[in-house]
Amino acid sequence: MHDQVQRYYGETLTRSADLRTDACCDGAAVPAALKPLLAEIHPEVSERYFGCGLVAPDALEGLRVLDLGCGAGRDVYLLSRLVGEQGEVVGVDMTPAQLAVAERHRAYHAERYGYGRSNVRFVEGRIEALGALGLPAAGFDLIVSNCVLNLSPDKAAVLAGAYELLAPGGELYFADVYGDRRLPAALAEDPVLYGECLAGALYWADFLALARAAGFSAPRLLEARPLAIEDVQVADKVAPARFCSATYRLFKVDGCDGGAADDGYTLTYRGSVPQAPEVWTLDRDWRFRTGQPVAVSSHIERILRASRFARHFAFDAGGGDPHEDVLAASDPNPFATAVACQSASCC
């Protein structure tokens, strides 16, 4: 399976335009502040981008970041700019052809950003065996991944490894492809279906279970979109399954596996996240307006208090009325959230 993925992304695909579906492309609306940063990335790196979401959360200055399945490095170099010269970004990938592209542009980006030295490095290896790559346990504040987990034959190992590498309160923020059902194992033998991020896509409910088994907090869904499969041959092979890309965030916080209701807490957002002076978004259900107290469950309170966002909130001591966790009460199914693209240029 690993060899099949290496051939597809190292030889079959030479640029984003070679894809036969819109599964491995960025369907998220790029915030205006990030557009000029993406324009700074070397064209060869950008042309070999195969992501399905935007993995650039808020409040990154000075963070230690790990990108799982970094490919040619587009997200690494974007994050390099966002963490600043004092931050660090490490990219892991198993495809030498992709890493070769990423490596030869390190000096270009350091100079473009005005850094005295490059703050990125790349490691060749498999994301199922992160512990064997010499990466520090609890050594990263944030781990990202963009349309890669579906390509792994051992997704539980990837999630478990990511959990071990995150510092307490750290976050796994990633976009990936999910199916609305479990797929026949035989589909994984088709190099196109697998390489196009379809045959290896998790049934969304199985992902929720795997994330919790690895120790993460209950997954927070940010956004989802349905995937268009315009190639008739590909569509026929996977029918009647439907697919969507979704962006989730998971936190390494003890005692945060969800719950229907808990003691009431009140949080007030200070408006101090530079990218969100008026409203800060945790997920699809929780948006905090500057200066406006918000009643939350202890699940949300623990996540934010333990995370890098803690300094951006004022925390009530709790003890008020019980407040239900919205995610625990609503459907975490990304297919219930996905909204169809209104433009053929969503990729």
Side-chain angles (χ1 to χ4, degrees), residues 136-139 159-167 214 216 252:
L159 292 170
Y163 188 87
E164 292 301 316
L165 293 182
L166 278 174
F216 285 105
K252 184 176 179 175

Short mmCIF file of all heavy atoms in Angstrom, two decimals, residues 136-139 159-167 214 216 252:
data_model
loop_
_atom_site.label_atom_id
_atom_site.label_comp_id
_atom_site.label_asym_id
_atom_site.label_seq_id
_atom_site.Cartn_x
_atom_site.Cartn_y
_atom_site.Cartn_z
N PRO A 136 10.68 14.33 19.12
CA PRO A 136 10.55 14.36 20.58
C PRO A 136 9.13 14.09 21.07
O PRO A 136 8.17 14.67 20.57
CB PRO A 136 10.99 15.78 20.94
CG PRO A 136 10.68 16.59 19.71
CD PRO A 136 10.92 15.68 18.55
N ALA A 137 8.99 13.21 22.04
CA ALA A 137 7.69 12.97 22.66
C ALA A 137 7.23 14.24 23.34
O ALA A 137 8.04 14.95 23.97
CB ALA A 137 7.79 11.83 23.68
N ALA A 138 5.95 14.56 23.21
CA ALA A 138 5.37 15.78 23.78
C ALA A 138 6.13 17.02 23.31
O ALA A 138 6.19 18.02 24.02
CB ALA A 138 5.35 15.71 25.30
N GLY A 139 6.69 16.96 22.10
CA GLY A 139 7.55 18.04 21.61
C GLY A 139 6.88 19.03 20.68
O GLY A 139 7.56 19.95 20.20
N LEU A 159 -2.96 8.18 14.64
CA LEU A 159 -3.57 8.98 15.70
C LEU A 159 -2.87 8.76 17.04
O LEU A 159 -2.63 9.72 17.79
CB LEU A 159 -5.05 8.66 15.81
CG LEU A 159 -5.91 9.10 14.62
CD1 LEU A 159 -7.32 8.52 14.73
CD2 LEU A 159 -5.98 10.62 14.53
N ALA A 160 -2.51 7.52 17.34
CA ALA A 160 -1.82 7.23 18.59
C ALA A 160 -0.45 7.90 18.61
O ALA A 160 -0.02 8.45 19.63
CB ALA A 160 -1.69 5.73 18.79
N GLY A 161 0.26 7.85 17.47
CA GLY A 161 1.57 8.49 17.40
C GLY A 161 1.49 9.99 17.54
O GLY A 161 2.32 10.61 18.20
N ALA A 162 0.47 10.59 16.92
CA ALA A 162 0.29 12.04 17.03
C ALA A 162 0.02 12.44 18.47
O ALA A 162 0.54 13.45 18.96
CB ALA A 162 -0.86 12.48 16.13
N TYR A 163 -0.78 11.64 19.17
CA TYR A 163 -1.09 11.93 20.56
C TYR A 163 0.17 11.95 21.41
O TYR A 163 0.36 12.83 22.25
CB TYR A 163 -2.08 10.90 21.11
CG TYR A 163 -2.61 11.21 22.48
CD1 TYR A 163 -3.73 12.01 22.64
CD2 TYR A 163 -1.99 10.72 23.63
CE1 TYR A 163 -4.23 12.31 23.92
CE2 TYR A 163 -2.47 11.01 24.89
CZ TYR A 163 -3.59 11.81 25.04
OH TYR A 163 -4.06 12.11 26.28
N GLU A 164 1.07 11.01 21.18
CA GLU A 164 2.31 10.93 21.96
C GLU A 164 3.23 12.11 21.68
O GLU A 164 3.97 12.56 22.56
CB GLU A 164 3.03 9.62 21.65
CG GLU A 164 2.33 8.38 22.16
CD GLU A 164 2.13 8.41 23.67
OE1 GLU A 164 3.08 8.79 24.39
OE2 GLU A 164 1.02 8.09 24.13
N LEU A 165 3.21 12.64 20.47
CA LEU A 165 4.12 13.73 20.11
C LEU A 165 3.59 15.10 20.52
O LEU A 165 4.35 16.07 20.56
CB LEU A 165 4.38 13.73 18.60
CG LEU A 165 5.16 12.53 18.06
CD1 LEU A 165 5.39 12.68 16.55
CD2 LEU A 165 6.51 12.40 18.77
N LEU A 166 2.31 15.20 20.83
CA LEU A 166 1.74 16.49 21.25
C LEU A 166 2.05 16.77 22.72
O LEU A 166 2.00 15.89 23.58
CB LEU A 166 0.22 16.48 21.07
CG LEU A 166 -0.32 16.79 19.68
CD1 LEU A 166 -1.83 16.59 19.66
CD2 LEU A 166 0.04 18.21 19.24
N ALA A 167 2.36 18.03 22.99
CA ALA A 167 2.49 18.46 24.38
C ALA A 167 1.10 18.52 25.01
O ALA A 167 0.09 18.63 24.30
CB ALA A 167 3.14 19.85 24.42
N ALA A 214 -7.55 6.86 20.85
CA ALA A 214 -6.18 7.35 20.92
C ALA A 214 -5.96 8.26 22.11
O ALA A 214 -4.81 8.55 22.47
CB ALA A 214 -5.82 8.09 19.63
N PHE A 216 -7.73 11.38 22.50
CA PHE A 216 -8.07 12.76 22.21
C PHE A 216 -9.43 13.15 22.79
O PHE A 216 -10.28 12.30 23.07
CB PHE A 216 -8.09 13.00 20.70
CG PHE A 216 -6.72 13.09 20.08
CD1 PHE A 216 -6.22 12.04 19.32
CD2 PHE A 216 -5.94 14.21 20.25
CE1 PHE A 216 -4.96 12.12 18.75
CE2 PHE A 216 -4.69 14.31 19.68
CZ PHE A 216 -4.19 13.25 18.93
N LYS A 252 -5.34 17.36 23.09
CA LYS A 252 -4.77 16.45 24.08
C LYS A 252 -5.04 17.02 25.46
O LYS A 252 -4.21 17.73 26.04
CB LYS A 252 -3.28 16.26 23.84
CG LYS A 252 -2.62 15.24 24.77
CD LYS A 252 -1.16 15.04 24.42
CE LYS A 252 -0.50 14.04 25.35
NZ LYS A 252 0.91 13.74 24.94
#
